[in-house]
């Protein structure tokens, strides 16, 4: 038999789980469909998710007003989600945003300061001497300036945030289906979702929130316009003395003089293996993953050695004296829409199949608000929020 729901959310990651929490507070008949994290990534043949990690940068200040609003609304609800779920995921360590005064990063700090002024945020504008005094463990290149956002910024644990959202959706009555969507078809006034495990489910409306796997052409009547890029992150194991020395370290975003060397870095974070690491990301080039099969293969690969070496060199310049001899690496992806904003809307010609995807490298911190917008779309058939200057209409091929 095919079990029927009012709504099915395909993808139990950061946006999908948030959508399930919000939608299940508005309506009954909600199902969240997506597999759990695999035990062995290298041998796993199914789909993956980039939230399989312990830290993602969060900050309220963004030069783009739409992304700033998405972030601020999400961050404002972190405490509520933690309290209601009993799961902690937010670490307010602050964030340091650094740019060069010339070259590729020249306008970055000025744009951040302008955005902060518009938002009424309390920010510290620091020169090289100020950054050296406050953050002695960093070696910031001369000719740089920085903005320190001490409150409302730091990092979230994406695994725990997703766990909290799923927990609250379940408390609201949502059904969690730990299967992988293989095919979505409209028929007989409903939407039928078939899974790789052989399951069949139907709903009045379905939204695809499958991250980079939203390019699977079997999930929507028309292909979603989304470019998925391979990304590599590098990890540096810390010893006890380094953990103590780096205590109080903020998250870091660095846009230097030379293009192609932009990075982000997370402060010391303890991982499930019991070890504590610094993490750095920022690939030297783009590697496009054209198909869903390519995305699966990429996650299984564990990352690119070329990118790891690039990140290793940058880390050792920014944080001199690290005792870790060789960094490790992991694979993730970023997904970009043509306009640089998430796509949230129905597939043209359909009032039943929608998409919620395209994080554009900036959505982890804003995932709760993006999920709320996806929930509103399913419940009301449209998004009508005058606070946003865009309509988030997705583009299709």
């Amino acid at each position: 038999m095919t079990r029927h729901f009012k709504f099915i959310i395909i993808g139990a990651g950061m946006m999908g789980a948030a959508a399930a929490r919000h939608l299940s507070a508005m309506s009954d008949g909600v199902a969240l469909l997506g597999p759990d994290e695999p035990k062995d990534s290298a041998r796993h043949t199914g789909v993956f998710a980039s939230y399989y990690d312990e830290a993602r940068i969060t900050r309220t200040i963004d030069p783009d007003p739409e992304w700033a609003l998405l972030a601020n609304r999400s961050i404002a609800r972190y405490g509520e989600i933690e309290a209601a779920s009993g799961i902690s995921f937010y670490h307010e360590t602050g964030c340091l945003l650094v740019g060069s005064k010339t070259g590729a990063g020249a306008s970055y700090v000025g744009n951040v300061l302008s955005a902060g002024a518009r938002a009424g945020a309390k920010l510290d504008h620091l020169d090289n001497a100020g950054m050296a005094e406050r953050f002695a463990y960093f070696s910031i290149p001369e000719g740089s300036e920085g903005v320190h956002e001490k409150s409302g910024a730091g990092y979230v644990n994406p695994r725990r945030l997703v766990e909290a959202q799923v927990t609250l959706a379940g408390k609201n009555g949502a059904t969690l289906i730990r299967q992988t969507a293989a095919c979505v078809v409209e028929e007989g006034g409903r939407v039928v979702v078939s899974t790789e495990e052989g399951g069949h489910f139907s709903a009045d409306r379905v939204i695809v929130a499958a991250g980079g796997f939203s390019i699977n052409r079997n999930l929507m009547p028309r292909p979603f316009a989304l470019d998925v890029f391979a990304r590599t992150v590098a990890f540096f194991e810390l010893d006890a003395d380094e953990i103590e020395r780096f205590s109080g370290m903020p998250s870091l975003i660095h846009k230097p003089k030379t293009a192609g060397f932009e990075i982000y870095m997370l402060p010391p974070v303890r991982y499930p293996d019991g070890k504590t690491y610094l993490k750095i990301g920022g690939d030297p080039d783009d590697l496009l993953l054209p198909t869903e099969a390519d995305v699966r293969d990429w996650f299984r690969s564990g990352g690119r050695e070329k990118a790891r070496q690039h990140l290793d060199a940058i880390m050792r310049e920014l944080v001199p004296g690290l005792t870790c001899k060789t960094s490790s690496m992991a694979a993730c992806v970023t997904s970009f829409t043509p306009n640089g904003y998430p796509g949230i809307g129905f597939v043209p010609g359909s009032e039943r199949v929608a998409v919620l995807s395209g994080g554009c490298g900036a959505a982890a911190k804003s995932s709760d608000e993006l999920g709320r917008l996806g929930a509103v779309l399913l419940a009301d058939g449209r998004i009508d929020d005058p606070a946003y200057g865009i309509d988030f209409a997705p583009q299709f091929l």
Side-chain angles (χ1 to χ4, degrees):
M1 291 181 61
T2 299
R3 185 173 178 184
H4 185 77
F5 298 91
K6 288 182 182 177
F7 308 106
I8 294 177
I9 299 160
I10 294 174
M14 299 191 77
M15 292 189 205
R21 177 176 79 86
H22 286 284
L23 188 57
S24 59
M26 304 173 189
S27 172
D28 59 2
V30 175
L32 176 63
L33 189 149
D36 208 344
E37 182 174 352
K39 297 279 193 269
D40 185 350
S41 295
R43 300 184 181 212
H44 180 60
T45 59
V47 299
F48 294 80
S50 290
Y51 81 84
Y52 302 159
D53 194 11
E54 296 295 304
R56 287 284 187 276
I57 291 177
T58 187
R59 56 193 170 92
T60 59
I61 305 304
D62 195 299
D64 185 297
E66 311 304 335
W67 279 111
L69 182 57
L70 289 166
N72 277 270
R73 283 184 170 182
S74 294
I75 292 168
R77 293 194 286 264
Y78 285 174
E80 169 194 334
I81 298 168
E82 288 184 322
S85 67
I87 298 169
S88 297
F89 58 83
Y90 176 42
H91 302 267
E92 197 174 30
T93 61
C95 186
L96 176 64
L97 303 100
V98 177
S100 63
K101 292 182 179 180
T102 60
S107 62
Y108 180 61
V109 166
N111 290 338
V112 170
L113 288 170
S114 297
R118 290 193 299 270
K122 294 181 179 179
L123 304 174
D124 293 339
H125 185 193
L126 305 172
D127 58 13
N128 274 103
M131 289 187 285
E133 180 179 359
R134 189 172 295 189
F135 311 109
Y137 32 71
F138 289 145
S139 178
I140 304 296
E142 285 298 321
S144 301
E145 58 183 337
V147 176
H148 186 204
E149 185 181 5
K150 291 186 283 189
S151 60
Y155 68 94
V156 293
N157 183 321
R159 282 189 176 108
R160 299 289 80 78
L161 175 51
V162 169
E163 180 185 359
Q165 301 280 31
V166 171
T167 296
L168 293 178
K171 287 183 177 180
N172 290 340
T175 299
L176 177 62
I177 303 170
R178 284 301 188 190
Q179 298 185 34
T180 302
C183 183
V184 176
V185 177
E186 284 190 64
E187 58 183 31
R190 61 179 185 167
V191 185
V192 176
V193 179
S194 301
T195 71
E196 292 183 359
E197 294 80 2
H200 299 281
F201 307 92
S202 65
D204 298 332
R205 283 178 172 165
V206 166
I207 194 164
V208 177
F213 289 91
S214 299
I215 62 173
N216 183 336
R217 298 201 170 199
N218 295 318
L219 297 183
M220 286 175 270
R222 285 179 58 182
F224 179 42
L226 190 71
D227 285 334
V228 182
F229 293 98
R231 299 297 186 220
T232 298
V233 292
F235 297 90
F236 294 75
E237 184 183 346
L238 303 180
D239 62 25
D241 290 340
E242 288 172 320
I243 294 171
E244 177 63 26
R245 181 160 69 95
F246 300 149
S247 175
M249 179 183 282
S251 297
L252 172 69
I253 298 173
H254 183 214
K255 295 185 181 290
K257 182 177 180 178
T258 305
F261 285 78
E262 298 88 352
I263 63 94
Y264 63 89
M265 193 178 87
L266 279 300
V269 174
R270 185 179 175 89
Y271 273 71
D273 63 2
K275 299 175 182 179
T276 298
Y277 299 89
L278 293 180
K279 185 183 80 171
I280 183 172
D283 285 57
D285 54 17
D286 287 329
L287 175 61
L288 181 67
L289 303 172
T291 70
E292 195 253 21
D294 293 327
V295 179
R296 295 192 190 209
D297 289 342
W298 166 249
F299 273 104
R300 280 194 295 271
S301 76
R304 278 194 300 169
E305 177 61 18
K306 170 186 173 182
R308 186 201 67 79
Q309 292 178 6
H310 171 81
L311 294 169
D312 190 289
I314 293 175
M315 177 68 95
R316 295 186 192 281
E317 290 182 2
L318 284 174
V319 188
L322 288 172
T323 60
C324 177
K325 299 299 183 185
T326 304
S327 56
S328 56
M329 65 179 176
C332 65
V333 300
T334 53
S335 306
F336 289 87
T337 61
N339 66 2
Y341 296 106
I344 313 172
F346 287 98
V347 179
S350 174
E351 296 180 351
R352 297 187 180 277
V353 180
V355 66
L356 166 62
S357 190
C360 302
K365 64 183 179 296
S366 305
S367 56
D368 187 66
E369 174 66 1
L370 290 167
R372 186 192 70 83
L373 293 173
V376 169
L377 176 71
L378 281 191
D380 298 344
R382 63 193 178 100
I383 299 172
D384 184 12
D385 193 329
Y388 290 104
I390 58 172
D391 62 7
F392 297 102
Q395 297 182 42
F396 294 84
L397 302 177

